[in-house]
Amino acid sequence: MTGWKCILPVGSHATTHQSYIPSRLHIYYLPGLCGILLCILAWESHGLRRNVLPPGSRRLRYMDSREDEQIRGITMKSSAISLHYVMINLIDSPGHVDFSSEVSTAVRICDGCIIVVDAVEGVCPQAVLRQAWLENICTVLVINKINCLIVELKFIPQEAYSHLKRTLFTSKVPEERAERETESQVNPNSEQGEQVYDWSTEQGNVVFTSAIDGWGFGIEHFARIYSQKIGIKKEVLMKTLWGDYYIKMKAKKIMKGDQAKGKKPLFVQLILENIWSLYDAVLKKDKDKIDKIVTSLGLKIGARETRHSDPKVQINAICSQWLPISHAVLAMVCQKLPSPLDITAERVERLMCTGSQTFDSLPPETQALKAAFMKCGSEDTAPGIIFVSKTLAVDAKALPQNKPVTQEEIAQRRKRARQRYAEKLAAAQGQAPLEPTQDVSALETCPKGEEPRGDEQQVESMTPKPVLQEEDNQESFIAFARVFSGVAQRGKKIFILGPKYSPLEFLQRVRIESKIFRYCFSRV
């Protein structure tokens, strides 16, 4: 995986509002213009009741780079990373209402977003979905923490299915209400139209997951499996695996009305019961049943995971191979969320306008840039359009250098660590200390076949590298941006347009200046 790329400096090339441009502006952008930009909008509770492991066993959270995020187990600032599944640029944005500004800045530069809903608590009263709806971007639904229904709430499969049905139903309420309000404002006499966001398992834009245990699935996965085992078409199973349907195994027919006839729904019988059975075997440490399940699924579990005393380790090892969450979520993203080439004209006009400004009021020269937005070209001749949604000031020393560590540097660090350990061990045993460490550092840094030169080497190693005072006190600006057209690269001249920039006023000023120049030239 690759992270951010950095361009610097660009402040000296600005032509408008130049007095407000910082001396250095670091634009961090995600490579891969043809990828899909996402935003994770969490609608789940970020409390400390779950998913926080005891001290000493805390997992590494890649997208939570801040120390307070790691300790509290929540996301507080947006962070991004490139996933080489089909070149997907992922932005992890917090879903808590206190960090709504982070959601707004992330959604503005995304093509689609993943709505994450807590399976236990359901939809929370937050505005993240409305923010995505106002930006007119497509969404998919992830119902997370299914494991809590098994381990914490002790639901049986039928109870879990009823609970999930209520969760999926309540997740449709906010956007239906928002659409009715907007429709009534635009046209009071109009009838209610279709849903803006229609999440359904049949369409394949809903995934059930347990991120902490590493598994997730969509209806399509089990429809493909059971279509081969039972002999029923995949299209039929996609429509009946979720809903009031049951199956007659002998006749291999799917019937409707499971509740009226006291039958188990297909989702319970073919999906949930298998997952519950696996959790039951692992939690009860039934080795024979675990081996039977692993063998029937055709999985290979390592000896270390098999002998581990923590049942979560075994569950993660089995489920991450059986139902990998990465495949389920990313496959849904690639199939259901639009690519940058499918950006709508309405969204382009919204991005180009600020405040109460309308697209029709823009000058023709500015409106012509709409074609560049829609084309999303990466040619050198394409106009470079970078949309900056957020900037923040950081110390220049805090910026990553992105310098890979070589094998020689690793070997030198290893030698220095061993030397320090030997010195501490000798001091603890009351022995005479070893030779000064500068000799060891000299031996490490000298080329092969040459001897260190004593005092000269010591002075050289102790002399700090010259650092400019200007660099020490310098503050840099980090820009959270999206490249909509062209190519962003080091040394390329760009024009920075602030939030108060008006293309109409700028063009009028340019025309006046050009007329004055022509008049002066004719007089000369």
Side-chain angles (χ1 to χ4, degrees):
M1 293 183 291
T2 60
W4 298 95
K5 289 188 177 179
C6 179
I7 312 170
L8 57 102
V10 297
S12 59
H13 299 304
T15 59
T16 60
H17 306 285
Q18 192 164 1
S19 59
Y20 299 97
I21 299 299
S23 59
R24 277 178 179 264
L25 176 66
H26 298 260
I27 300 180
Y28 285 80
Y29 72 97
L30 282 171
L33 189 61
C34 60
I36 300 176
L37 278 163
L38 308 177
C39 177
I40 294 183
L41 308 181
W43 249 359
E44 60 183 5
S45 172
H46 286 286
L48 301 179
R49 184 171 64 88
R50 292 187 298 273
N51 286 2
V52 178
L53 302 178
S57 61
R58 188 153 39 92
R59 290 184 181 179
L60 178 62
R61 302 165 65 93
Y62 292 97
M63 303 301 287
D64 296 337
S65 56
R66 294 159 53 104
E67 185 178 357
D68 51 357
E69 291 178 328
Q70 292 281 345
I71 294 174
R72 298 177 60 186
I74 64 174
T75 302
M76 301 172 66
K77 294 293 182 181
S78 297
S79 56
I81 196 170
S82 294
L83 306 177
H84 286 252
Y85 186 81
V86 187
M87 196 52 198
I88 299 173
N89 299 322
L90 177 69
I91 300 176
D92 181 16
S93 176
H96 197 274
V97 68
D98 294 342
F99 309 109
S100 58
S101 61
E102 294 290 326
V103 178
S104 300
T105 56
V107 170
R108 179 57 61 92
I109 59 177
C110 291
D111 295 314
C113 67
I114 305 172
I115 304 294
V116 184
V117 175
D118 191 323
V120 177
E121 299 183 8
V123 177
C124 299
Q126 298 174 17
V128 290
L129 181 58
R130 181 172 180 82
Q131 289 174 300
W133 174 75
L134 290 174
E135 292 296 332
N136 195 22
I137 62 175
C138 184
T139 63
V140 291
L141 179 64
V142 172
I143 301 180
N144 192 30
K145 298 183 181 179
I146 306 294
N147 61 295
C148 296
L149 304 180
I150 308 173
V151 179
E152 294 186 8
L153 300 183
K154 307 294 183 181
F155 281 170
I156 62 174
Q158 183 65 46
E159 294 174 340
Y161 173 66
S162 301
H163 181 79
L164 291 175
K165 284 181 67 177
R166 291 193 297 269
T167 302
L168 188 57
F169 171 75
T170 54
S171 63
K172 295 183 179 181
V173 174
E175 73 271 14
E176 290 177 351
R177 185 185 300 117
E179 185 200 5
R180 286 196 297 269
E181 293 176 356
T182 306
E183 187 70 20
S184 61
Q185 294 176 1
V186 176
N187 188 3
N189 299 324
S190 63
E191 299 180 357
Q192 182 179 355
E194 298 179 355
Q195 281 186 182
V196 178
Y197 297 139
D198 185 14
W199 294 321
S200 66
T201 57
E202 179 183 347
Q203 295 184 15
N205 54 6
V206 179
V207 166
F208 305 89
T209 66
S210 171
I212 194 171
D213 289 339
W215 60 268
F217 65 89
I219 295 296
E220 184 179 2
H221 175 78
F222 284 96
R224 183 172 57 254
I225 293 176
Y226 286 111
S227 64
Q228 300 174 358
K229 290 186 177 181
I230 303 177
I232 301 176
K233 293 182 178 180
K234 176 184 173 182
E235 293 74 15
V236 176
L237 289 173
M238 285 289 294
K239 297 179 180 180
T240 57
L241 273 177
W242 180 271
D244 299 332
Y245 299 94
Y246 69 97
I247 186 172
K248 290 183 177 181
M249 295 301 295
K250 293 183 178 179
K252 294 183 179 181
K253 291 184 178 180
I254 296 177
M255 311 296 293
K256 192 174 183 180
D258 60 318
Q259 295 181 357
K261 299 181 181 179
K263 302 291 185 179
K264 293 181 181 179
L266 282 177
F267 191 80
V268 174
Q269 184 178 0
L270 300 182
I271 299 177
L272 293 187
E273 285 188 350
N274 292 327
I275 298 175
W276 259 246
S277 178
L278 172 61
Y279 270 82
D280 182 69
V282 175
L283 294 176
K284 292 182 179 179
K285 298 182 179 181
D286 190 345
K287 188 176 183 305
D288 295 336
K289 190 174 181 180
I290 294 174
D291 294 340
K292 184 179 179 181
I293 293 175
V294 171
T295 303
S296 62
L297 294 176
L299 308 178
K300 294 183 180 179
I301 308 301
R304 180 177 177 275
E305 288 79 8
T306 304
R307 295 193 300 265
H308 207 284
S309 59
D310 188 0
K312 287 188 176 181
V313 176
Q314 294 187 12
I315 291 175
N316 193 292
I318 296 173
C319 293
S320 60
Q321 296 185 47
W322 176 34
L323 303 171
I325 185 174
S326 58
H327 290 182
V329 175
L330 294 180
M332 176 181 63
V333 165
C334 295
Q335 295 172 7
K336 301 302 176 182
L337 294 185
S339 70
L341 295 174
D342 298 330
I343 187 171
T344 61
E346 294 80 6
R347 186 154 182 262
V348 171
E349 295 177 1
R350 182 188 294 269
L351 290 171
M352 297 181 66
C353 300
T354 58
S356 59
Q357 197 178 40
T358 60
F359 182 77
D360 296 334
S361 64
L362 296 176
E365 295 87 346
T366 306
Q367 294 185 18
L369 293 176
K370 180 179 177 180
F373 272 94
M374 302 291 291
K375 186 179 179 181
C376 195
S378 58
E379 302 85 5
D380 294 335
T381 56
I385 302 175
I386 303 175
F387 189 94
V388 179
S389 64
K390 181 178 67 173
T391 58
L392 62 152
V394 297
D395 189 359
K397 297 179 181 179
L399 294 176
Q401 300 299 323
N402 294 328
K403 294 181 179 179
V405 182
T406 62
Q407 294 295 331
E408 296 180 357
E409 293 176 345
I410 295 176
Q412 291 178 4
R413 293 179 183 180
R414 189 182 298 114
K415 289 180 181 179
R416 287 193 291 268
R418 289 175 180 174
Q419 178 66 22
R420 288 193 297 267
Y421 177 75
E423 291 177 356
K424 292 181 180 180
L425 186 61
Q429 295 177 357
Q431 298 178 0
L434 297 176
E435 295 295 327
T437 55
Q438 65 266 18
D439 295 340
V440 178
S441 62
L443 289 174
E444 294 174 2
T445 56
C446 285
K448 294 182 179 180
E450 296 185 8
E451 294 294 331
R453 294 176 291 177
D455 297 337
E456 296 180 5
Q457 180 65 33
Q458 180 179 355
V459 172
E460 183 180 354
S461 61
M462 295 176 64
T463 303
K465 296 183 178 180
V467 181
L468 296 177
Q469 187 68 22
E470 183 182 357
E471 292 288 339
D472 294 339
N473 302 327
Q474 196 173 31
E475 197 174 52
S476 299
F477 279 78
I478 300 296
F480 206 61
R482 160 82 182 272
V483 181
F484 280 95
S485 176
V487 179
Q489 57 189 358
R490 184 190 298 268
K492 188 174 183 178
K493 185 177 181 180
I494 64 174
F495 300 90
I496 300 177
L497 309 180
K500 296 183 179 180
Y501 169 77
S502 174
L504 184 60
E505 296 178 0
F506 176 76
L507 289 174
Q508 289 177 353
R509 188 178 63 187
V510 170
R511 292 189 184 102
I512 293 173
E513 291 177 354
S514 62
K515 288 181 180 178
I516 294 174
F517 176 76
R518 288 197 301 269
Y519 174 74
C520 295
F521 184 77
S522 61
R523 290 291 300 271
V524 172

